């Protein structure tokens, strides 16, 4: 990556994590330029957030394509036209196929609302409650062909309260964890502090043996 990183975000809904990144770029906490925000849903509120910030947007409805492979190909072509260095999945409710993942290997990250490797897939908050977990949180990971199985770079956690249900856990994960660790992860990628090399994750030139936690966050994101 030469010069400032170019940032693309894929969304399907409200765009709360997107807004956190828009704010962080605007404040100079993420050293990156916006490439594009893409949604597979025309009514995604996140598109309005992007447009208000002057970011290019593209709507690519998956229902317009005959199968997953055709959609993935079209999405990849749109992305490449905008030349992103970092691709952020922020509530993008489509599982991307192996060919797409390989096409953008090492450039694409996702946030998952669990302490991976626990509870890959859906219904993570209820599953944590059903298991009686004392802690819950979210994980930022690089995207690989294995669903929610890529290397985890950043993870935030909190204690589950006796009164928590799936709804309150979802709100707490978003407000207390995701809106902090996701823009921070993007900032570290943009600055080159965080890298996925052939021999694994590196943070500031040293191997990353376990995910970074909330205590590692820069003051702007803590």
């Amino acid at each position: 990556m030469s010069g400032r990183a170019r940032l693309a975000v894929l969304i399907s809904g409200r765009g709360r994590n997107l807004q956190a990144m828009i704010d962080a770029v605007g404040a100079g906490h993420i050293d990156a330029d916006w490439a594009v925000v893409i949604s597979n849903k025309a009514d995604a509120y996140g598109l309005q957030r992007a447009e208000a910030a002057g970011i290019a947007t593209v709507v690519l409805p998956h229902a317009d394509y005959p199968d997953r492979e055709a959609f993935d190909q079209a999405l990849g072509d749109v992305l490449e036209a905008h030349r992103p260095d970092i691709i952020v999945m922020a509530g993008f409710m489509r599982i991307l196929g192996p060919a797409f993942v390989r096409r953008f290997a090492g450039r694409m990250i996702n946030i998952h609302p669990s302490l991976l490797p626990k509870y890959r897939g859906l219904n993570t908050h209820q599953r944590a409650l059903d298991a009686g977990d004392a802690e819950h949180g979210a994980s930022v990971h690089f995207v690989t062909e294995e669903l929610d199985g890529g290397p985890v770079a950043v993870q935030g956690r909190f204690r589950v309260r006796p009164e928590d249900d799936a709804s309150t856990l979802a709100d707490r994960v978003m407000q207390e964890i995701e809106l902090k660790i996701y823009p921070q992860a993007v900032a570290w990628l943009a600055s080159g502090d965080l890298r996925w090399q052939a021999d694994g994750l590196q943070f500031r030139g040293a191997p990353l043996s376990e995910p970074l936690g909330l205590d590692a966050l820069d003051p702007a994101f803590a």
Side-chain angles (χ1 to χ4, degrees):
M1 182 165 34
S2 60
R4 284 167 61 91
R6 288 178 57 79
L7 179 61
V9 180
L10 309 183
I11 63 169
S12 295
R14 294 167 60 183
R16 287 173 291 177
N17 275 307
L18 169 64
Q19 186 64 58
M21 292 172 201
I22 290 171
D23 294 344
V25 170
H29 301 315
I30 296 176
D31 188 22
D33 295 320
W34 286 103
V36 67
V37 171
I38 303 174
S39 177
N40 64 316
K41 295 187 176 181
D43 61 351
Y45 183 67
L47 291 169
Q48 297 182 43
R49 298 180 188 269
E51 289 161 2
I55 303 166
T57 61
V58 175
V59 177
L60 204 68
H62 58 272
D64 288 355
Y65 296 87
D67 52 37
R68 186 187 306 277
E69 289 74 19
F71 174 74
D72 284 0
Q73 180 67 43
L75 177 61
D77 291 347
V78 170
L79 274 172
E80 286 202 338
H82 287 86
R83 300 178 291 106
D85 299 296
I86 302 166
I87 301 166
V88 180
M89 296 177 64
F92 187 63
M93 303 306 291
R94 298 290 297 171
I95 295 175
L96 297 166
F100 182 94
V101 173
R102 288 193 296 269
R103 187 174 180 179
F104 298 101
R107 284 192 274 167
M108 188 160 46
I109 59 172
N110 182 46
I111 193 161
H112 184 71
S114 80
L115 297 174
L116 291 172
K118 285 187 171 183
Y119 315 130
R120 298 176 185 179
L122 301 175
N123 302 318
T124 60
H125 311 303
Q126 189 60 52
R127 289 159 71 190
L129 290 169
D130 292 345
D133 289 354
E135 291 185 316
H136 190 46
S139 308
V140 177
H141 66 93
F142 283 86
V143 177
T144 64
E145 295 177 41
E146 182 182 2
L147 179 65
D148 301 325
V152 178
V154 193
Q155 203 164 61
R157 61 183 68 220
F158 55 66
R159 301 286 297 180
V160 177
R161 298 168 181 159
E163 65 272 20
D164 275 324
D165 57 22
S167 177
T168 63
L169 280 185
D171 288 341
R172 291 185 65 200
V173 165
M174 176 60 68
Q175 295 297 328
E176 297 178 31
I177 307 296
E178 292 195 23
L179 296 179
K180 298 178 180 182
I181 68 172
Y182 214 9
Q184 174 69 90
V186 174
W188 281 332
L189 282 170
S191 67
D193 285 339
L194 177 64
R195 298 176 183 272
W196 184 17
Q197 309 282 65
D199 57 350
L201 296 185
Q202 290 197 346
F203 183 65
R204 294 175 179 161
L208 191 61
S209 58
E210 61 183 24
L212 296 157
L214 293 175
D215 58 346
L217 301 187
D218 295 335
F221 301 103

